[in-house]
Amino acid sequence: MNAAYVLVVDDEPDIRQLVKEILEDEGYQVATAGNAAAAREARRRRCPDLILLDIWMPDEDGVTLLKEWSENDANRCPVVMISGHGTVETAVEATRLGAIDFIEKPLSMAKLLVTVRQALADSAGKTAQSSPPGAGEPLKPVGHSHQLEELRKQVRRLAASESRVLFSGEPGSGKTCFARYLHALSERRRGPLIEFAGEKAAVELFGYEDTPGRLEAASNGTLVLDEVADLEPEAQIRLVSALEKQEFQRIDGSRSQPLTTRIIALTRLNLAAVVRAGHFREDLYYHLNVVPVHIPPLREHIEDIPDLLNFYVNHLVEQQSLPYRRFNVAAQNRLRNYTWPGNVRELRNLVQRLLILGECLEITVSEIDNALTTSAQIAEMDAATNLPNLSLDRPLREAREEFERLYLQHQLKRAAGSVARLARLTGMERTHLYRKLRALGIDPKESA
């Protein structure tokens, strides 16, 4: 496991050298830059875990550079600003642009070390605990069933190694939760946890020229490849090369970057069958499938349903300020006998809906039946409305885009054109949702 990598950007050579020596004595890897151009080049060569950035420099000021970096969603790293004569307005502007702390000159080395340690710890914690689209999962998988106990034991053993892991299971069964749990238990928990959807382009995974990608953003941490079977062919080829050589290049880049990232792959499909069908590279399959772990569907461990209900009630009450309600015994038994086609994700959504729409403290069987009937009716209506209009005589990428367009247009109507409501209905993070709507040519205002 590599030490944290810190980039020190300051136009004063003595300060750069002093800070470098002190941080290296503490075990950090350190690079330095004396101006904005050098800082860009250093960041392009390797993504830092932390940047110490001077505000006043001869060519471009640090706030301008911070603004430039903050607009790059693909790879943000924590930045601590340094200034000999900062103002309140400058500090406020830097904080607004994403700086996490502010140190004044002359530097107190004790203060510097405390700030660096805290910044790295906070960044690692936020990355590990941050939730991507469809979040709300616990860090530690919830349940006391034999299956869950054995899975947790297996993940704890895997956390002590650097082996690549392939989690398989039905949609909503908890693959992402187990991947986060593995990262949180490993030595890499001090590094970033980056989640990447397999359907995205190779350029977003590997970066482009001066722009780092997700693989680089996860340096010294963990990259979770969600629905890895959907990786486009170019990304598959590049990933095989990276895993074999333990280095990679950005697309249209000329310099090799060391691969210091642990990769965990997730799939809802039988990936071996996808390989046999010729839709996924066999060599990549063997690189990723070093340790296969299957997550069972919820219907196979129904004894965990009471624990899950209790967890999500408390979680949603605390995180979303929803009114507290409790499931009576009959309601819990009804849910234990439900087949849960959407698995744990469906259970979470059901709890959220019941907390939002219910009025009484107790959740009863009749309310459960009404909620499940409504969910089934919506699913049937969606299928009846959308699928006949979706042509299957086209490439997979085009068919997926058309389905996403139909799905989001339908959900926008339900949300009355509100992107905030759309995010809640779809379980997508709003920034990603806006990008998806633009990519599909959907204007939310037209659905208002």
Side-chain angles (χ1 to χ4, degrees), residues 7-17 20 31-43 45 51-62 65 69 105:
L7 173 61
V8 180
V9 184
D10 197 297
D11 65 321
E12 298 183 56
D14 291 343
I15 290 181
R16 288 200 307 273
Q17 187 60 29
K20 182 176 188 292
T32 62
N35 53 47
R40 287 192 187 93
E41 176 63 15
R43 187 176 183 274
R45 286 197 304 269
I51 298 176
L52 301 179
L53 178 59
D54 189 20
I55 288 184
W56 306 113
M57 295 185 293
D59 54 348
E60 289 181 66
D61 64 89
L65 195 56
W69 288 338
K105 295 179 181 177

Side-chain angles (χ1 to χ4, degrees), residues 164 272 275 280-291:
R164 288 186 285 275
V275 171
F280 194 81
R281 292 182 64 93
E282 184 176 23
D283 48 2
L284 181 55
Y285 169 71
Y286 286 117
H287 275 298
L288 298 176
N289 192 38
V290 176
V291 181

Side-chain angles (χ1 to χ4, degrees), residues 6-141:
V6 182
L7 173 61
V8 180
V9 184
D10 197 297
D11 65 321
E12 298 183 56
D14 291 343
I15 290 181
R16 288 200 307 273
Q17 187 60 29
L18 177 61
V19 173
K20 182 176 188 292
E21 291 175 358
I22 289 174
L23 292 180
E24 286 179 339
D25 285 344
E26 293 293 314
Y28 299 110
Q29 300 180 58
V30 184
T32 62
N35 53 47
R40 287 192 187 93
E41 176 63 15
R43 187 176 183 274
R44 189 192 68 79
R45 286 197 304 269
R46 181 180 175 188
C47 177
D49 298 303
L50 176 66
I51 298 176
L52 301 179
L53 178 59
D54 189 20
I55 288 184
W56 306 113
M57 295 185 293
D59 54 348
E60 289 181 66
D61 64 89
V63 173
T64 299
L65 195 56
L66 175 64
K67 182 178 181 181
E68 174 187 316
W69 288 338
S70 70
E71 292 171 351
N72 174 21
D73 288 333
N75 185 20
R76 293 187 182 183
C77 57
V79 176
V80 172
M81 305 301 291
I82 302 175
S83 175
H85 42 279
T87 64
V88 173
E89 291 78 9
T90 304
V92 170
E93 175 67 5
T95 302
R96 186 184 67 80
L97 292 171
I100 62 174
D101 210 335
F102 201 98
I103 304 177
E104 291 185 342
K105 295 179 181 177
L107 296 177
S108 160
M109 292 304 143
K111 164 73 171 171
L112 173 70
L113 291 175
V114 169
T115 301
V116 167
R117 283 195 292 267
Q118 189 62 50
L120 289 167
D122 287 349
S123 175
K126 288 176 181 176
T127 306
Q129 296 171 16
S130 64
S131 298
E137 293 175 302
L139 181 58
K140 180 179 179 181

